[in-house]
Amino acid sequence: MDRRESLKILGIGSLQASLLLAGCSGRSGSAGQKAMPVELYGRTAQEAAYDASLHAETFFTAHERKTLAGICDWIIPADGETGGATAAGVVDFIEFIVKDQPPLQLPLRGGLGWMDITSRELYGRSFIAATRNEQAALLDKIAYPGKVEKDFLAGAGFFNQVRNLCTTGYFTSKIGLKDLGYMGNTPNAWDGAPEEVLKEYDVAYDPRYLHLYVRPEDRGTLMTWDDHQG
Amino acid sequence: MGFEIIEREEAYDVLIVGSGAGGGMAVKTLSDAGLRVALIEAGPDYDPADPEQQTQLKWPYQSPRRGAGTVRDIGEFTASLGGWKIEGEPYTNTKDTEFRWYRSRMIGGRTNHWGRISLRFGPDDFRRRSIDGLGDDWPITYDDVKPFYDRVDKMIGVFGTREGIYNEPDGFFLPPPKPRLHELLVQKAAARINIPVIPARLSVLTRPISKSRGVCFYCNQCNRGCSVYGDFSSSSVLIKPARKSGHVDVYTNAMVREVLTNAEGLATGVLYIDKTDLQEYRVRARVVVLAASACESARILLNSRSARFPNGVANSSGMVGRYLHDSTGAVRSAFIPQLMDRKRYNEDGVGGMHAYIPWWLDNKKLGFARGYHVELGGGMTMPMYGFGFGIQALNGKYPDKNGQQKPAGGYGLSWKEDVKRFYGATVSFAGRGESIALESNYCKIDPATVDKWGIPVLQFHYQWTDQELKQARHMHDTFEELIHQMGGVPNGEKPGESEQYGLAKPGAIIHEVGTTRMGNDPSRSVLNKYNQAHDCRNLFVVDGGPFVSQADKNPTWTILALSLRAAEYMIDQFRKKNL
C-alpha cells in the first residue's frame, strides 16, 4: 500500500508514520490531514438517523438532570488535576443512554424521585437543595451494598446503577481515558511487555520462541517464507 | 413488489451468492481465471478505508452510547451490519430450541468482524467416525486439503509457529507477536499442570506479503475492519482486488430467493429481490455457486422448489438443512490480584489473543468424544460501555494501597482510585469445542412465516447432547484449575447441571456449519467431495454448509481452502466442457 494513501486513511501525522508504515513503499508524504469530525464514526444512514432521533428527544427534566449531575460529581469528583464526572460529559452520556436503552428509564427516574422523597423526609428539602453534609450522609446510607438498612434498599439499587453508568461515562471520556492511563488506540509497533514489567512479575519470553517473534525492524520486509517448509 | 420479474441481460459464466470467506475466494479464483462472474450480496457495499464507514481508531466518546451494543450486537464499532436479530428478517425455533442465527448483510459478510483465528483442521478432524464411531468421516482427507491450506496461508497471511503437533498442522506462518503480560502469566501457570500455551494463529499481517496491503499497526481492533487491509477480510483481501479485474459485476442489496432450474434439472440462474426498489430480478449463469452462509444457502435450496425438485433443489437426499452444528462455547473470567496497580503502557497488540491453548488431551480417557481449544482474553484494553460496572463486587475484598480494608462500594476519589487499580487485572478463558453433527439438528422452511421480502424463513431445531454438556463441564474445570494456578479469583459462580454447565446456546459462537454436507453417498449427503451438488452438476456450495464435522477449530480457514479447491475444480470442468 502506498505510504501517503495509508496516512490519509489513518488521518495521522508523519512522525508516527515513519515507524508504522515501514511496510509501505513509495515516496514520503506530507503530514496527516485534519481530524475527523466527532460525529463521524462509521454509521449507516439508518443508524445515523436513529442517533439523531435520540438526540432530538429530552428525557430528564431540568431538576432531574441537576440532581443526577450532583450525584455523579459525588461519585467522581474533580481532583487537583482532573475534572470530575460532569466536566467529562457524564450527564449527557446518561441522558443519551436511557433513551437508547429504555429499560434504564424507570429505575433512574424512580431512583431520582426516591432521592428527593428521602431527602425531604430527612432534611425537609430536595436532595440538590440539601447541604453538602446532608447529601453525603444520605449517600453513605446507599453507597455501600454490604451495609444498607432495609428502608434504603431501593436507594442502594439506584445508586449501584448510577455508579455503573457514571463510572463508564467518565472512563470512556477524553479526560477519563487520560486519568486511567489508557495508552492505546494509536498506531505503534508492539514488541512485548516492557523489561521492568517482566521482571516485576517474574516472567520472561521463552528463549525457544524469542527468535521467532516479529521484530519491529522487519515490519517493512516482504515475507518470502524462504526458510519455511510446507 | 413489481408485477413482473425483470430480466438482467448480462450472461455470466458463474454467479456467486454471498461475499464472505467462501464467496470471496470463489470470486477471486474464478475471475482470475478470466471467467465472467456475478457476485450477489444481500447487504450494501463495504470498505473499511471509506471514511464514511470507518470505525477503526475511533474513541469511545465519539459514540454517544460509548460503543454499547444497542444497534450492533457485538458493540457498535464492530464492522458488522446485522446481528442475531435483523429487522424484517425473522427466523423461528421449534419448542425447546434456542438457536441464534447471526447474519452480517454486507460485502465481506462476517469476515469483516470475525476473530481472525485461522486454524487448519488436522488429519483426525476429517475422519472422526473412524476414531470414535460418532458422526461421519469426510469424503476427503487432510492430504487432499493441505495444498490448498498452504496456498491460502501465502495468499492471505497468517502468523503462528511451527509446533509439530499432529492434529494442529503447521503452515506457512508469518512471525507472531510476543505475548502480552497476562498471556505470559497464563503460560507459566498452565505449564505447572501440563497444559500447553502456544503462539496464536491469526490472519494478521505482522509482515507484508504484498504491496497492495499495509501491515498491522497493533490497535487491537481487527473486529472493526482494518483500513490498511492489514488483516483478512473477504471484502478487502479477495473481493476488492477481484473487482479490479473487470470480470466481476457486483449486485448489492440483492436478496436471493431461489435458484432457477430448467427441464434437464440444471441450474440456470437465480431470482433476487432488490432491497432498494423491491423489484424481483432474474440473473442467468452457466454455474451457480451458493456461499450465503450455511443456513442461508440451505434456505435458498429449500425454497427452490419445482416439479422436478419438490423438496428443493439438490435435496433428493432430504439432507439439506440437517446436521446443522455450531462450535460449543463456555467462558469464565477471573480477577488476578497480582495484576492490581499495573504499570501503564500500550498493550493493545493485534486484534485478538497472542497465545492460546490448543486441545491437549486424549478423549479416550474423558467420557466425551471431541476436544476444545481455549482462547485467552485480558489486558489493558480500551474502556467501552460497561467499563467499571460492578467494581463494588471487588473493592471490598482487597485492601487499598495503604493496606486498609474498605467496605464494598463507595464513591468519591477513593472509588475512582479503586477503579483505576483494578484496570487490566481481569483475564478470561473461552473454550471453543467440537460438537457432534447430528441428523436430528436441523433448519427447515417455516411455511407459516415470511420475511419482509415475502420469502419463507427458516425454523431451527437444535438440542445439545450429553457429549457437549460433559465437554462444557470439563472446560469449566480447566478454567478453574488455571485460575487457581494463577492465584486468581474466579468471577461469578461455576455453572452447574441446571445451567447446562454454561454451554452457550447453539448459534452463539457463530461457527454454524453442516447443512449441505459433502459425502460419497448421494442418499446421505448433498454435495460431492468437490462441493458440487449430487443432483445438479452446475450447482455448488462453498460456505460452511459442506462441512461433515466441525473440528475444535474455527471454520474460516477450511472454508477458504475448500472454496479455492472447488473453484479450481470448476475451472477444470469448464475446460473439459463438463460445465
Side-chain angles (χ1 to χ4, degrees), chain B residues 137-182:
Chain B
D137 289 350
W138 289 60
I140 51 178
T141 65
Y142 176 71
D143 289 338
D144 292 320
V145 191
K146 182 186 180 297
F148 299 94
Y149 280 132
D150 287 349
R151 286 166 58 198
V152 170
D153 287 355
K154 292 185 193 176
M155 185 193 312
I156 289 173
V158 50
F159 68 69
T161 45
R162 301 175 60 77
E163 300 286 336
I165 305 170
Y166 175 72
N167 203 43
E168 313 288 332
D170 298 322
F172 287 84
F173 293 128
L174 297 166
K178 286 178 182 164
R180 304 176 180 94
L181 177 61
H182 67 274

Short mmCIF file of all heavy atoms in Angstrom, two decimals, chain B residues 137-182:
data_model
loop_
_atom_site.label_atom_id
_atom_site.label_comp_id
_atom_site.label_asym_id
_atom_site.label_seq_id
_atom_site.Cartn_x
_atom_site.Cartn_y
_atom_site.Cartn_z
N ASP B 137 -17.16 -39.70 8.62
CA ASP B 137 -15.89 -39.25 8.05
C ASP B 137 -16.18 -38.32 6.88
O ASP B 137 -17.23 -38.43 6.23
CB ASP B 137 -15.08 -40.44 7.53
CG ASP B 137 -14.53 -41.30 8.65
OD1 ASP B 137 -14.62 -40.89 9.83
OD2 ASP B 137 -14.02 -42.40 8.34
N TRP B 138 -15.26 -37.42 6.61
CA TRP B 138 -15.36 -36.62 5.38
C TRP B 138 -15.00 -37.51 4.18
O TRP B 138 -14.29 -38.52 4.34
CB TRP B 138 -14.36 -35.46 5.44
CG TRP B 138 -14.67 -34.36 6.40
CD1 TRP B 138 -14.80 -34.46 7.75
CD2 TRP B 138 -14.85 -32.97 6.07
NE1 TRP B 138 -15.06 -33.21 8.29
CE2 TRP B 138 -15.09 -32.28 7.29
CE3 TRP B 138 -14.82 -32.24 4.88
CZ2 TRP B 138 -15.30 -30.89 7.33
CZ3 TRP B 138 -15.02 -30.87 4.94
CH2 TRP B 138 -15.27 -30.21 6.14
N PRO B 139 -15.44 -37.12 2.99
CA PRO B 139 -15.03 -37.88 1.80
C PRO B 139 -13.62 -37.50 1.34
O PRO B 139 -13.13 -38.01 0.32
CB PRO B 139 -16.08 -37.50 0.75
CG PRO B 139 -16.52 -36.13 1.16
CD PRO B 139 -16.43 -36.08 2.66
N ILE B 140 -12.99 -36.57 2.03
CA ILE B 140 -11.63 -36.14 1.71
C ILE B 140 -10.78 -36.20 2.97
O ILE B 140 -11.31 -36.28 4.07
CB ILE B 140 -11.61 -34.70 1.14
CG1 ILE B 140 -12.39 -33.74 2.07
CG2 ILE B 140 -12.16 -34.65 -0.27
CD1 ILE B 140 -12.38 -32.28 1.63
N THR B 141 -9.47 -36.18 2.76
CA THR B 141 -8.55 -36.26 3.90
C THR B 141 -7.77 -34.96 4.02
O THR B 141 -7.83 -34.09 3.15
CB THR B 141 -7.53 -37.40 3.69
OG1 THR B 141 -6.71 -37.04 2.55
CG2 THR B 141 -8.21 -38.73 3.43
N TYR B 142 -7.01 -34.88 5.11
CA TYR B 142 -6.15 -33.70 5.28
C TYR B 142 -5.21 -33.54 4.09
O TYR B 142 -4.99 -32.42 3.62
CB TYR B 142 -5.34 -33.81 6.58
CG TYR B 142 -4.37 -32.65 6.73
CD1 TYR B 142 -4.84 -31.37 6.99
CD2 TYR B 142 -3.00 -32.83 6.55
CE1 TYR B 142 -3.98 -30.29 7.07
CE2 TYR B 142 -2.12 -31.75 6.64
CZ TYR B 142 -2.62 -30.47 6.90
OH TYR B 142 -1.77 -29.41 6.97
N ASP B 143 -4.69 -34.66 3.58
CA ASP B 143 -3.75 -34.56 2.45
C ASP B 143 -4.39 -33.95 1.21
O ASP B 143 -3.73 -33.30 0.41
CB ASP B 143 -3.16 -35.93 2.12
CG ASP B 143 -2.20 -36.39 3.20
OD1 ASP B 143 -1.67 -35.51 3.93
OD2 ASP B 143 -1.98 -37.61 3.33
N ASP B 144 -5.69 -34.17 1.04
CA ASP B 144 -6.39 -33.56 -0.09
C ASP B 144 -6.45 -32.04 0.06
O ASP B 144 -6.45 -31.31 -0.92
CB ASP B 144 -7.84 -34.08 -0.18
CG ASP B 144 -7.90 -35.54 -0.57
OD1 ASP B 144 -7.11 -35.95 -1.45
OD2 ASP B 144 -8.74 -36.28 -0.01
N VAL B 145 -6.57 -31.57 1.28
CA VAL B 145 -6.80 -30.15 1.51
C VAL B 145 -5.49 -29.39 1.76
O VAL B 145 -5.41 -28.19 1.52
CB VAL B 145 -7.77 -29.94 2.71
CG1 VAL B 145 -8.22 -28.49 2.81
CG2 VAL B 145 -9.00 -30.83 2.57
N LYS B 146 -4.48 -30.11 2.22
CA LYS B 146 -3.22 -29.46 2.61
C LYS B 146 -2.65 -28.49 1.57
O LYS B 146 -2.31 -27.34 1.91
CB LYS B 146 -2.16 -30.52 2.96
CG LYS B 146 -0.84 -29.89 3.42
CD LYS B 146 0.24 -30.93 3.62
CE LYS B 146 1.54 -30.29 4.08
NZ LYS B 146 2.10 -29.36 3.08
N PRO B 147 -2.58 -28.88 0.28
CA PRO B 147 -2.01 -27.92 -0.68
C PRO B 147 -2.81 -26.62 -0.76
O PRO B 147 -2.24 -25.56 -1.01
CB PRO B 147 -2.10 -28.66 -2.02
CG PRO B 147 -2.37 -30.08 -1.70
CD PRO B 147 -2.96 -30.15 -0.34
N PHE B 148 -4.10 -26.70 -0.50
CA PHE B 148 -4.94 -25.50 -0.56
C PHE B 148 -4.75 -24.65 0.70
O PHE B 148 -4.72 -23.43 0.62
CB PHE B 148 -6.40 -25.89 -0.80
CG PHE B 148 -6.56 -26.62 -2.11
CD1 PHE B 148 -6.54 -28.01 -2.17
CD2 PHE B 148 -6.66 -25.90 -3.30
CE1 PHE B 148 -6.65 -28.67 -3.39
CE2 PHE B 148 -6.77 -26.55 -4.52
CZ PHE B 148 -6.76 -27.95 -4.56
N TYR B 149 -4.64 -25.31 1.84
CA TYR B 149 -4.30 -24.56 3.07
C TYR B 149 -2.97 -23.81 2.85
O TYR B 149 -2.84 -22.64 3.23
CB TYR B 149 -4.10 -25.50 4.25
CG TYR B 149 -5.33 -26.01 4.96
CD1 TYR B 149 -5.47 -27.37 5.24
CD2 TYR B 149 -6.32 -25.15 5.43
CE1 TYR B 149 -6.55 -27.87 5.95
CE2 TYR B 149 -7.41 -25.64 6.15
CZ TYR B 149 -7.53 -26.99 6.40
OH TYR B 149 -8.60 -27.48 7.12
N ASP B 150 -2.00 -24.50 2.26
CA ASP B 150 -0.68 -23.88 2.05
C ASP B 150 -0.82 -22.60 1.21
O ASP B 150 -0.23 -21.58 1.51
CB ASP B 150 0.27 -24.84 1.31
CG ASP B 150 0.75 -25.99 2.20
OD1 ASP B 150 0.52 -25.92 3.43
OD2 ASP B 150 1.34 -26.94 1.67
N ARG B 151 -1.62 -22.69 0.17
CA ARG B 151 -1.78 -21.53 -0.73
C ARG B 151 -2.57 -20.41 -0.05
O ARG B 151 -2.28 -19.24 -0.25
CB ARG B 151 -2.44 -21.98 -2.02
CG ARG B 151 -1.43 -22.76 -2.89
CD ARG B 151 -2.11 -23.50 -4.00
NE ARG B 151 -2.87 -22.60 -4.86
CZ ARG B 151 -3.82 -22.99 -5.70
NH1 ARG B 151 -4.14 -24.28 -5.75
NH2 ARG B 151 -4.44 -22.12 -6.46
N VAL B 152 -3.57 -20.79 0.75
CA VAL B 152 -4.33 -19.77 1.48
C VAL B 152 -3.41 -19.03 2.45
O VAL B 152 -3.45 -17.80 2.55
CB VAL B 152 -5.53 -20.41 2.23
CG1 VAL B 152 -6.18 -19.40 3.18
CG2 VAL B 152 -6.56 -20.93 1.24
N ASP B 153 -2.55 -19.78 3.13
CA ASP B 153 -1.59 -19.15 4.05
C ASP B 153 -0.80 -18.06 3.34
O ASP B 153 -0.66 -16.95 3.85
CB ASP B 153 -0.57 -20.18 4.57
CG ASP B 153 -1.15 -21.16 5.58
OD1 ASP B 153 -2.33 -20.99 5.97
OD2 ASP B 153 -0.42 -22.09 5.98
N LYS B 154 -0.26 -18.40 2.17
CA LYS B 154 0.62 -17.45 1.48
C LYS B 154 -0.16 -16.32 0.81
O LYS B 154 0.32 -15.20 0.72
CB LYS B 154 1.44 -18.19 0.42
CG LYS B 154 2.45 -19.16 1.00
CD LYS B 154 3.28 -19.74 -0.12
CE LYS B 154 4.09 -20.92 0.34
NZ LYS B 154 4.82 -21.55 -0.77
N MET B 155 -1.33 -16.62 0.36
CA MET B 155 -2.14 -15.62 -0.33
C MET B 155 -2.69 -14.58 0.64
O MET B 155 -2.75 -13.39 0.33
CB MET B 155 -3.32 -16.36 -1.01
CG MET B 155 -4.22 -15.50 -1.88
SD MET B 155 -5.78 -16.36 -2.32
CE MET B 155 -5.23 -17.96 -2.85
N ILE B 156 -3.07 -15.02 1.84
CA ILE B 156 -3.80 -14.17 2.77
C ILE B 156 -2.95 -13.75 3.97
O ILE B 156 -3.06 -12.63 4.44
CB ILE B 156 -5.08 -14.91 3.23
CG1 ILE B 156 -6.07 -14.97 2.07
CG2 ILE B 156 -5.70 -14.24 4.45
CD1 ILE B 156 -7.30 -15.79 2.32
N GLY B 157 -2.08 -14.65 4.42
CA GLY B 157 -1.20 -14.34 5.55
C GLY B 157 -1.78 -14.77 6.88
O GLY B 157 -2.93 -14.44 7.20
N VAL B 158 -0.98 -15.51 7.65
CA VAL B 158 -1.39 -15.93 8.99
C VAL B 158 -0.11 -16.03 9.82
O VAL B 158 0.90 -16.56 9.36
CB VAL B 158 -2.14 -17.28 8.95
CG1 VAL B 158 -1.39 -18.34 8.14
CG2 VAL B 158 -2.43 -17.82 10.36
N PHE B 159 -0.14 -15.50 11.04
CA PHE B 159 1.05 -15.67 11.87
C PHE B 159 0.89 -16.89 12.77
O PHE B 159 -0.24 -17.34 13.03
CB PHE B 159 1.40 -14.40 12.65
CG PHE B 159 0.43 -13.99 13.74
CD1 PHE B 159 0.30 -14.74 14.91
CD2 PHE B 159 -0.29 -12.81 13.62
CE1 PHE B 159 -0.56 -14.33 15.93
CE2 PHE B 159 -1.16 -12.40 14.64
CZ PHE B 159 -1.30 -13.17 15.79
N GLY B 160 2.03 -17.41 13.21
CA GLY B 160 2.00 -18.60 14.06
C GLY B 160 3.39 -19.18 14.17
O GLY B 160 4.37 -18.57 13.72
N THR B 161 3.48 -20.36 14.78
CA THR B 161 4.77 -21.03 14.92
C THR B 161 4.61 -22.50 14.56
O THR B 161 3.54 -23.08 14.75
CB THR B 161 5.28 -20.94 16.38
OG1 THR B 161 4.20 -21.25 17.26
CG2 THR B 161 5.83 -19.56 16.66
N ARG B 162 5.69 -23.07 14.09
CA ARG B 162 5.67 -24.49 13.72
C ARG B 162 5.88 -25.32 14.98
O ARG B 162 6.94 -25.26 15.59
CB ARG B 162 6.75 -24.75 12.68
CG ARG B 162 6.54 -23.90 11.42
CD ARG B 162 7.66 -24.07 10.42
NE ARG B 162 7.76 -25.45 9.98
CZ ARG B 162 6.93 -26.02 9.11
NH1 ARG B 162 5.97 -25.31 8.57
NH2 ARG B 162 7.08 -27.27 8.77
N GLU B 163 4.86 -26.04 15.36
CA GLU B 163 4.88 -26.74 16.64
C GLU B 163 5.01 -28.25 16.50
O GLU B 163 5.30 -28.94 17.47
CB GLU B 163 3.58 -26.43 17.42
CG GLU B 163 3.38 -24.95 17.73
CD GLU B 163 4.29 -24.46 18.84
OE1 GLU B 163 4.73 -25.27 19.67
OE2 GLU B 163 4.57 -23.24 18.87
N GLY B 164 4.73 -28.76 15.31
CA GLY B 164 4.83 -30.20 15.11
C GLY B 164 3.79 -31.02 15.88
O GLY B 164 4.02 -32.17 16.21
N ILE B 165 2.66 -30.41 16.18
CA ILE B 165 1.59 -31.16 16.85
C ILE B 165 0.74 -31.84 15.77
O ILE B 165 0.25 -31.17 14.86
CB ILE B 165 0.70 -30.22 17.70
CG1 ILE B 165 1.56 -29.43 18.70
CG2 ILE B 165 -0.40 -31.00 18.41
CD1 ILE B 165 0.82 -28.30 19.41
N TYR B 166 0.57 -33.16 15.89
CA TYR B 166 -0.03 -33.93 14.80
C TYR B 166 -1.36 -33.37 14.30
O TYR B 166 -1.54 -33.18 13.10
CB TYR B 166 -0.22 -35.39 15.25
CG TYR B 166 -0.95 -36.24 14.22
CD1 TYR B 166 -0.33 -36.62 13.04
CD2 TYR B 166 -2.28 -36.63 14.44
CE1 TYR B 166 -0.99 -37.38 12.09
CE2 TYR B 166 -2.95 -37.40 13.49
CZ TYR B 166 -2.30 -37.77 12.32
OH TYR B 166 -2.97 -38.51 11.39
N ASN B 167 -2.27 -33.11 15.21
CA ASN B 167 -3.60 -32.69 14.75
C ASN B 167 -3.79 -31.17 14.70
O ASN B 167 -4.90 -30.68 14.56
CB ASN B 167 -4.71 -33.34 15.59
CG ASN B 167 -6.02 -33.39 14.83
OD1 ASN B 167 -6.05 -33.72 13.64
ND2 ASN B 167 -7.11 -33.02 15.49
N GLU B 168 -2.69 -30.42 14.86
CA GLU B 168 -2.73 -28.95 14.72
C GLU B 168 -1.71 -28.60 13.65
O GLU B 168 -0.68 -28.00 13.94
CB GLU B 168 -2.34 -28.25 16.04
CG GLU B 168 -3.01 -28.78 17.29
CD GLU B 168 -4.47 -28.42 17.38
OE1 GLU B 168 -4.89 -27.38 16.82
OE2 GLU B 168 -5.23 -29.19 18.01
N PRO B 169 -1.98 -28.96 12.40
CA PRO B 169 -0.92 -28.89 11.38
C PRO B 169 -0.33 -27.48 11.23
O PRO B 169 -1.04 -26.49 11.32
CB PRO B 169 -1.63 -29.29 10.09
CG PRO B 169 -2.87 -29.99 10.51
CD PRO B 169 -3.25 -29.40 11.84
N ASP B 170 0.98 -27.48 11.02
CA ASP B 170 1.69 -26.21 10.79
C ASP B 170 1.44 -25.74 9.37
O ASP B 170 1.03 -26.51 8.50
CB ASP B 170 3.19 -26.43 10.99
CG ASP B 170 3.50 -26.85 12.42
OD1 ASP B 170 2.83 -26.33 13.34
OD2 ASP B 170 4.38 -27.71 12.62
N GLY B 171 1.71 -24.47 9.15
CA GLY B 171 1.54 -23.94 7.80
C GLY B 171 2.67 -22.99 7.47
O GLY B 171 3.76 -23.07 8.05
N PHE B 172 2.41 -22.11 6.54
CA PHE B 172 3.38 -21.08 6.18
C PHE B 172 3.06 -19.85 7.02
O PHE B 172 2.12 -19.11 6.73
CB PHE B 172 3.28 -20.76 4.69
CG PHE B 172 3.86 -21.85 3.84
CD1 PHE B 172 3.10 -22.96 3.50
CD2 PHE B 172 5.17 -21.79 3.40
CE1 PHE B 172 3.63 -23.99 2.74
CE2 PHE B 172 5.72 -22.81 2.63
CZ PHE B 172 4.94 -23.92 2.30
N PHE B 173 3.82 -19.67 8.07
CA PHE B 173 3.47 -18.67 9.08
C PHE B 173 4.30 -17.40 8.98
O PHE B 173 5.52 -17.45 8.76
CB PHE B 173 3.65 -19.25 10.49
CG PHE B 173 2.67 -20.34 10.83
CD1 PHE B 173 3.13 -21.57 11.32
CD2 PHE B 173 1.30 -20.15 10.70
CE1 PHE B 173 2.23 -22.57 11.65
CE2 PHE B 173 0.40 -21.15 11.04
CZ PHE B 173 0.87 -22.36 11.51
N LEU B 174 3.65 -16.28 9.21
CA LEU B 174 4.34 -15.03 9.47
C LEU B 174 4.78 -15.07 10.94
O LEU B 174 4.23 -15.83 11.73
CB LEU B 174 3.38 -13.85 9.26
CG LEU B 174 2.84 -13.67 7.84
CD1 LEU B 174 1.65 -12.70 7.84
CD2 LEU B 174 3.93 -13.17 6.91
N PRO B 175 5.77 -14.24 11.30
CA PRO B 175 6.20 -14.26 12.71
C PRO B 175 5.10 -13.75 13.63
O PRO B 175 4.42 -12.77 13.31
CB PRO B 175 7.42 -13.34 12.73
CG PRO B 175 7.34 -12.52 11.49
CD PRO B 175 6.58 -13.33 10.48
N PRO B 176 4.89 -14.42 14.77
CA PRO B 176 3.84 -14.00 15.70
C PRO B 176 4.32 -12.85 16.58
O PRO B 176 5.52 -12.65 16.77
CB PRO B 176 3.63 -15.24 16.55
CG PRO B 176 4.97 -15.91 16.58
CD PRO B 176 5.62 -15.61 15.26
N PRO B 177 3.38 -12.09 17.15
CA PRO B 177 3.76 -11.05 18.12
C PRO B 177 4.07 -11.69 19.47
O PRO B 177 3.55 -12.75 19.80
CB PRO B 177 2.49 -10.19 18.21
CG PRO B 177 1.37 -11.13 17.89
CD PRO B 177 1.92 -12.15 16.93
N LYS B 178 4.91 -11.02 20.25
CA LYS B 178 5.20 -11.52 21.60
C LYS B 178 3.92 -11.51 22.43
O LYS B 178 3.09 -10.60 22.29
CB LYS B 178 6.23 -10.61 22.28
CG LYS B 178 7.64 -10.78 21.76
CD LYS B 178 8.58 -9.80 22.45
CE LYS B 178 9.98 -9.94 21.90
NZ LYS B 178 10.83 -8.77 22.26
N PRO B 179 3.77 -12.48 23.33
CA PRO B 179 2.59 -12.49 24.20
C PRO B 179 2.53 -11.25 25.09
O PRO B 179 3.54 -10.61 25.36
CB PRO B 179 2.79 -13.74 25.06
CG PRO B 179 3.74 -14.59 24.30
CD PRO B 179 4.63 -13.65 23.54
N ARG B 180 1.31 -10.93 25.51
CA ARG B 180 1.10 -9.86 26.48
C ARG B 180 1.38 -10.41 27.89
O ARG B 180 1.49 -11.63 28.07
CB ARG B 180 -0.33 -9.35 26.39
CG ARG B 180 -0.74 -8.85 25.01
CD ARG B 180 -2.22 -8.46 25.03
NE ARG B 180 -2.70 -7.97 23.74
CZ ARG B 180 -3.30 -8.72 22.83
NH1 ARG B 180 -3.47 -10.01 23.05
NH2 ARG B 180 -3.73 -8.19 21.69
N LEU B 181 1.40 -9.53 28.87
CA LEU B 181 1.73 -9.95 30.24
C LEU B 181 0.80 -11.04 30.75
O LEU B 181 1.25 -12.06 31.27
CB LEU B 181 1.71 -8.74 31.19
CG LEU B 181 1.96 -9.08 32.66
CD1 LEU B 181 3.32 -9.71 32.87
CD2 LEU B 181 1.80 -7.84 33.53
N HIS B 182 -0.51 -10.83 30.63
CA HIS B 182 -1.42 -11.84 31.20
C HIS B 182 -1.28 -13.17 30.48
O HIS B 182 -1.49 -14.23 31.07
CB HIS B 182 -2.87 -11.35 31.18
CG HIS B 182 -3.45 -11.19 29.81
ND1 HIS B 182 -3.31 -10.06 29.06
CD2 HIS B 182 -4.18 -12.05 29.06
CE1 HIS B 182 -3.93 -10.22 27.90
NE2 HIS B 182 -4.46 -11.42 27.87
#
